[in-house]
């Protein structure tokens, strides 16, 4: 493996996929020939659907995601107003798995316990296999792969996913043929793959396998990000209160939708700073060279070379990040206040110096979905629950295996319920009128006033808006 400096980002970005292939690198990192993750080398259907269907449809998927989070909270979170111990790693995993499944496979399959087990445990088995096999020389891998229980279990979960999903895939194909598939079931990643797969990708077993691969890419990365944010919010309670106030201001007088989450700049900044301190991997921007190439500095990259960038070292470089050792939850919020930078420095945007999602044409296509999903979950948790560390304890230390960084699975927090109404409790105006109601009624009366003016009754228009609504 060749680790390149950040100065080479633009040069690597310019290389075509025929010369520097990121998909081959991902399959290699996941030992695809043993874990059956090499499926991604034969089909990019999932990549296409995320880019062309999932991301453009996020606005209409926000409601279903919120509904699933509400349902999942009742299943996974304590409802007591007394402080209760919980392990966020496992609890948040359940929330993310259910929310992702609502978008990936839809109702009622997203609440099927077998599917939830498959979509979460498959990933666990893959990473156990990868982390263990990497400890040994590559010539031992063919032997180890036949002896490891985690490999057996991973293959078993693939077969179980096919057994569960193939009948559903066939059912949806029949309904699509007669145009009888309901909108809620159609607007899922599984249905889009069925609809858009070409002849080499349309085999139901292939689609079922691909669905579980997508779950691997989506669920655990979002889960780990959300857990890190919770830990960091407990460590920085001053930011927690600022973010709560921002959520109240965004909610006030507006319908809660995808664009509302885009207005949560402080939360977005905190998520990005948390990811800077806790990247999912110390290395990113992986490529495998398909042809030899000589870099501008004379470095020769032979065919087959695996190249990457030291994402953590770059982000913690003082020349890249001011005071990199200081956790500043509003770091990127402040940067977005600079002229011309309002659209930059977001959690889901990629930059030359921030490579957690990659950069350029082949950056992670699911980062926009991940950003929205994490925010949908965190907004509900932040507004409806209080969190704190156990007495005398601080942030649970992260765990590291090779270049991978994980939040501590055994880490504990204290949580208590604040009430369901907190998120939507209206702010009262000067005369005690709820602001959302006040705005709605005021707009109604303004329309009446304009109608009176247009119909020649201007003298009556000034009386159309009650004075109480003007203060």
């Amino acid at each position: 493996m060749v680790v390149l400096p950040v100065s080479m980002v633009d040069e690597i970005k310019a290389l075509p996929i025929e010369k520097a292939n990121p998909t081959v690198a991902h399959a290699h990192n996941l030992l695809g020939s043993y874990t059956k993750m090499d499926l991604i080398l034969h089909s990019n259907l999932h990549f296409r659907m995320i880019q062309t269907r999932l991301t453009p449809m996020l606005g209409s998927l926000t409601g279903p995601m919120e509904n699933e989070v509400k349902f999942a909270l009742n299943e996974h979170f304590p409802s007591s107003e007394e402080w209760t111990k919980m392990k966020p790693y496992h609890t948040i995993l359940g929330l993310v798995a259910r929310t992702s499944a609502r978008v990936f496979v839809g109702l009622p399959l997203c609440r099927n316990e077998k599917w939830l087990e498959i979509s979460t445990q498959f990933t666990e088995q893959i990473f156990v296999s990868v982390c263990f096999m990497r400890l040994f020389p590559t010539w031992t891998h063919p032997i180890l792969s036949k002896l490891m229980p985690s490999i057996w279990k991973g293959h078993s979960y693939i077969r179980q996913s096919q057994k569960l999903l193939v009948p559903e895939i066939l059912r949806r194909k029949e309904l699509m043929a007669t145009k009888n598939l309901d909108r809620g079931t159609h607007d899922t990643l599984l249905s889009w793959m069925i609809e858009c797969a070409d002849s080499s990708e349309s085999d139901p077993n292939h689609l079922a396998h691909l669905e579980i691969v997508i779950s691997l890419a989506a669920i655990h990365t979002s889960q780990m990000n959300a857990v890190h944010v919770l830990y960091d919010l407990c460590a920085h309670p001053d930011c927690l209160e600022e973010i709560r106030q921002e959520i109240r201001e965004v909610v006030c007088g507006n319908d809660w939708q995808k664009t509302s989450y885009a207005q949560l700049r402080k939360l977005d900044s905190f998520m990005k700073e948390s990811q800077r301190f806790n990247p999912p991997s110390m290395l990113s921007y992986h490529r495998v060279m398909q042809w030899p190439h000589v870099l501008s500095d004379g470095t020769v990259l032979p065919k087959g070379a695996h190249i990457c960038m030291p994402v953590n070292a770059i982000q913690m470089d003082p020349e890249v990040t001011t005071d990199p050792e200081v956790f500043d939850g509003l770091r990127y919020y402040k940067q977005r206040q600079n002229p011309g930078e309002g659209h930059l420095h977001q959690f889901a945007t990629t930059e030359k110096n921030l490579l957690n999602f990659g950069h350029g044409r082949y950056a992670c296509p699911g980062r926009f979905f991940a950003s929205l999903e994490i925010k949908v979950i965190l907004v509900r948790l932040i507004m409806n629950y209080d969190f704190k560390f156990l007495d005398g304890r601080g942030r649970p230390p992260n765990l590291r295996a090779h270049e991978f960084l994980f939040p501590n699975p055994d880490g504990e927090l204290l949580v208590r319920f604040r009430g369901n109404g907190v998120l939507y409790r209206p702010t009262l105006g000067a005369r005690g009128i709820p602001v959302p109601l006040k705005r709605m009624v005021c707009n109604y009366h303004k329309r009446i006033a304009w109608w009176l003016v247009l119909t020649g009754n201007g003298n009556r228009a000034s009386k159309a808006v009650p004075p109480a609504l003007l203060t």
Side-chain angles (χ1 to χ4, degrees):
M1 183 176 288
V2 182
V3 181
L4 298 174
V6 68
S7 58
M8 295 296 170
V9 167
D10 289 335
E11 192 167 343
I12 299 301
K13 175 185 171 184
L15 295 178
I17 193 171
E18 292 79 13
K19 178 167 276 192
N21 195 306
T23 308
V24 172
H26 293 324
H28 177 268
N29 286 340
L30 295 170
L31 300 178
S33 58
Y34 306 111
T35 60
K36 295 192 176 182
M37 288 296 295
D38 55 355
L39 176 75
I40 61 177
L41 297 176
H42 310 296
S43 171
N44 68 349
L45 176 62
H46 60 298
F47 194 97
R48 302 196 314 266
M49 291 305 96
I50 292 171
Q51 281 189 322
T52 62
R53 292 297 185 93
L54 178 61
T55 300
M57 289 287 290
L58 287 179
S60 62
L61 294 172
T62 302
M65 290 169 67
E66 290 176 331
N67 291 337
E68 202 60 32
V69 169
K70 294 176 189 177
F71 176 84
L73 284 175
N74 293 330
E75 295 288 315
H76 295 278
F77 256 71
S79 58
S80 173
E81 296 184 1
E82 301 295 325
W83 288 109
T84 306
K85 280 186 183 181
M86 64 165 280
K87 291 185 176 181
Y89 186 94
H90 304 284
T91 307
I92 299 298
L93 178 60
L95 291 180
V96 174
R98 288 177 179 273
T99 308
S100 299
R102 181 67 179 265
V103 174
F104 293 169
V105 297
L107 286 168
L109 199 54
C110 66
R111 296 178 184 176
N112 183 297
E113 292 298 328
K114 174 52 70 174
W115 172 251
L116 294 172
E117 177 194 344
I118 292 169
S119 62
T120 55
Q121 293 306 307
F122 173 71
T123 305
E124 297 280 354
Q125 301 308 318
I126 293 294
F127 275 96
V128 168
S129 301
V130 168
C131 291
F132 182 77
M133 290 176 68
R134 278 191 181 185
L135 298 173
F136 299 90
T138 54
W139 64 266
T140 66
H141 290 179
I143 301 170
L144 288 173
S145 65
K146 297 183 184 301
L147 301 175
M148 292 181 61
S150 58
I151 292 285
W152 306 340
K153 291 177 182 177
H155 293 178
S156 173
Y157 280 126
I158 293 173
R159 292 192 296 271
Q160 291 178 53
S161 71
Q162 292 168 335
K163 182 179 179 180
L164 184 64
L165 291 182
V166 166
E168 177 64 12
I169 291 170
L170 295 174
R171 184 186 75 86
R172 293 189 189 189
K173 280 188 173 182
E174 290 181 3
L175 291 174
M176 286 179 182
T178 57
K179 298 183 179 181
N180 287 320
L181 189 65
D182 66 273
R183 176 71 181 272
T185 306
H186 178 268
D187 289 344
T188 61
L189 196 58
L190 179 61
S191 294
W192 294 327
M193 290 198 299
I194 295 170
E195 188 176 50
C196 299
D198 61 33
S199 57
S200 66
E201 301 166 324
S202 60
D203 179 75
N205 285 296
H206 173 89
L207 294 173
H209 189 176
L210 204 54
E211 188 73 31
I212 195 175
V213 168
I214 295 169
S215 295
L216 177 146
I219 293 175
H220 280 72
T221 49
S222 294
Q223 170 235 9
M224 289 190 291
N225 271 307
V227 173
H228 282 309
V229 171
L230 275 186
Y231 284 157
D232 290 332
L233 283 171
C234 290
H236 303 276
D238 52 328
C239 289
L240 175 59
E241 289 308 315
E242 280 204 55
I243 291 170
R244 275 187 178 144
Q245 182 56 35
E246 177 184 57
I247 294 171
R248 293 188 191 101
E249 292 170 357
V250 170
V251 170
C252 183
N254 295 283
D255 293 327
W256 198 245
Q257 52 193 327
K258 176 179 176 286
T259 54
S260 304
Y261 292 101
Q263 296 175 51
L264 300 176
R265 293 191 169 198
K266 293 180 180 178
L267 176 59
D268 188 274
S269 172
F270 196 95
M271 288 165 53
K272 194 174 184 74
E273 181 74 345
S274 179
Q275 189 184 61
R276 185 177 73 84
F277 265 75
N278 310 284
S281 174
M282 298 293 177
L283 302 173
S284 184
Y285 213 56
H286 293 267
R287 302 286 189 274
V288 169
M289 302 304 298
Q290 305 300 293
W291 294 95
H293 181 74
V294 180
L295 296 174
S296 58
D297 66 351
T299 301
V300 177
L301 301 176
K303 180 179 179 180
H306 187 138
I307 62 175
C308 61
M309 299 280 179
V311 56
N312 189 60
I314 294 170
Q315 294 176 160
M316 300 301 285
D317 185 344
E319 294 187 6
V320 172
T321 306
T322 306
D323 297 326
E325 301 297 333
V326 176
F327 187 101
D328 182 359
L330 301 182
R331 179 186 302 274
Y332 300 103
Y333 171 79
K334 297 169 188 173
Q335 291 183 19
R336 292 179 70 182
Q337 309 306 307
N338 298 330
E341 297 186 28
H343 65 292
L344 301 176
H345 316 302
Q346 299 180 54
F347 181 77
T349 55
T350 69
E351 300 175 40
K352 177 179 177 179
N353 296 325
L354 296 168
L355 300 171
N356 288 303
F357 290 117
H359 187 50
R361 181 180 178 185
Y362 299 106
C364 172
R367 64 191 186 277
F368 301 104
F369 167 73
S371 176
L372 178 60
E373 179 180 45
I374 295 168
K375 287 176 183 176
V376 168
I377 291 172
L378 287 176
V379 163
R380 183 66 56 177
L381 294 182
I382 288 169
M383 298 308 292
N384 286 359
Y385 298 88
D386 287 319
F387 298 91
K388 68 177 183 179
F389 294 129
L390 275 66
D391 293 342
R393 299 189 193 177
R395 192 192 195 283
N398 292 328
L399 302 182
R400 183 173 172 179
H402 304 291
E403 73 270 26
F404 305 115
L405 197 70
F406 305 94
N408 195 320
D410 293 321
E412 292 183 318
L413 291 179
L414 292 174
V415 58
R416 69 179 178 188
F417 185 57
R418 302 178 76 223
N420 278 320
V422 174
L423 181 56
Y424 299 108
R425 185 174 296 151
T427 301
L428 299 182
R431 295 178 181 266
I433 302 173
V435 171
L437 176 62
K438 175 179 175 179
R439 290 178 181 174
M440 180 181 69
V441 176
C442 188
N443 288 335
Y444 172 73
H445 281 279
K446 284 179 180 178
R447 292 190 185 98
I448 294 176
W450 276 111
W451 181 80
L452 290 171
V453 169
L454 292 173
T455 56
N457 294 284
N459 61 323
R460 296 173 58 192
S462 60
K463 300 177 182 180
V465 183
L469 293 174
L470 298 176
T471 58

